[in-house]
Amino acid sequence: MIAKLVLQTFVWFGVMGALMFGSAGTLHWAAAWVYIVVMVGLSLTMGVALARRDPGLMNERLRLPIQKTQSAADKILLSILLLGIFGWLALMGLDVRFGWSAVPVWVQAIGALVLLVGIWICYLTMLENSFAAPVVKIQDERGQRVITTGPYSYVRHPMYAGAILYFAGTALLLGSWWGLASVLVFIVLLAIRTFIEEKALRAGLRGYDDYA
């Protein structure tokens, strides 16, 4: 499992780096290097900790983003979301290449903090919810139940709240106002996915109606 985590982490951020630096037309992009190094480090550190604490969840999160048991609507939306992320990274690279944005260093620093807060919220969510799979499905084989504690005592979908902060923080850290504006697209996509997930949970997870 750890070997798979390491491989997927380096492949994922390798692709992200290729998109960013390729579209920027240069490797001299300090903020992008900071982003990649920090994200690889956090992904591996938190991934190893999660694998030791909750191997069942880690196994779910290492599976492919498109699965047989996943609803058709979620397959389509998740595909759009992934393509959107790739396009978003390329857009921010083009922003750097052509100098469209002038983001002060102190704003980039704030972006880094927002990014870290978003990741921390996502991590707390996974610590609290052993069923936080990356796809929308009911995990009957793992005895899925309604989680109402931790971040879930404040908001129904804390992972999405953390993801929005992650997107916004990343755009600011990378110094792209265009990237920040594009976060609105992700907010809309996540709102639609929330609707898809709510429908699945209400239909298939006992007790969710009472929580919702």
Side-chain angles (χ1 to χ4, degrees):
M1 182 183 297
I2 300 300
K4 188 175 182 180
L5 167 67
V6 172
L7 177 61
Q8 286 191 6
T9 298
F10 278 101
V11 169
W12 174 250
F13 287 105
V15 171
M16 293 178 77
L19 284 169
M20 289 190 292
F21 291 116
S23 58
T26 180
L27 293 176
H28 299 292
W29 184 3
W33 283 112
V34 169
Y35 169 77
I36 290 176
V37 170
V38 169
M39 288 303 301
V40 168
L42 287 175
S43 296
L44 292 177
T45 301
M46 293 188 297
V48 169
L50 194 62
R52 291 175 176 172
R53 176 189 174 97
D54 193 343
L57 173 58
M58 196 67 233
N59 185 59
E60 282 290 337
R61 297 203 63 82
L62 289 174
R63 296 180 65 184
L64 294 175
I66 304 298
Q67 302 175 16
K68 288 183 179 180
T69 55
Q70 187 179 6
S71 69
D74 191 50
K75 288 179 182 178
I76 293 171
L77 185 64
L78 194 53
S79 297
I80 294 172
L81 184 59
L82 289 172
L83 290 174
I85 290 173
F86 294 150
W88 176 63
L89 293 170
L91 171 65
M92 291 189 287
L94 291 173
D95 193 344
V96 169
R97 171 178 284 195
F98 297 109
W100 296 333
S101 299
V103 179
V105 174
W106 65 269
V107 174
Q108 290 181 278
I110 291 175
L113 292 176
V114 172
L115 166 64
L116 292 175
V117 170
I119 293 173
W120 181 243
I121 291 174
C122 290
Y123 184 60
L124 289 179
T125 301
M126 289 185 284
L127 290 180
E128 197 69 31
N129 184 5
S130 180
F131 312 103
V135 303
V136 175
K137 64 177 183 179
I138 304 300
Q139 301 169 60
D140 290 326
E141 73 284 357
R142 296 185 62 223
Q144 184 173 355
R145 58 184 175 80
V146 178
I147 306 298
T148 60
T149 54
Y152 290 90
S153 62
Y154 300 100
V155 61
R156 271 193 255 178
H157 298 278
M159 187 77 79
Y160 297 155
I164 291 171
L165 292 177
Y166 161 80
F167 286 127
T170 296
L172 290 175
L173 170 61
L174 295 178
S176 176
W177 294 126
W178 285 99
L180 182 63
S182 300
V183 174
L184 292 174
V185 175
F186 294 122
I187 291 175
V188 171
L189 290 174
L190 290 175
I192 296 172
R193 196 169 196 233
T194 297
F195 174 78
I196 294 172
E197 188 168 350
E198 285 281 316
K199 184 178 179 180
L201 292 172
R202 287 178 183 275
L205 187 60
R206 180 179 298 178
Y208 189 78
D209 275 330
D210 295 332
Y211 164 66

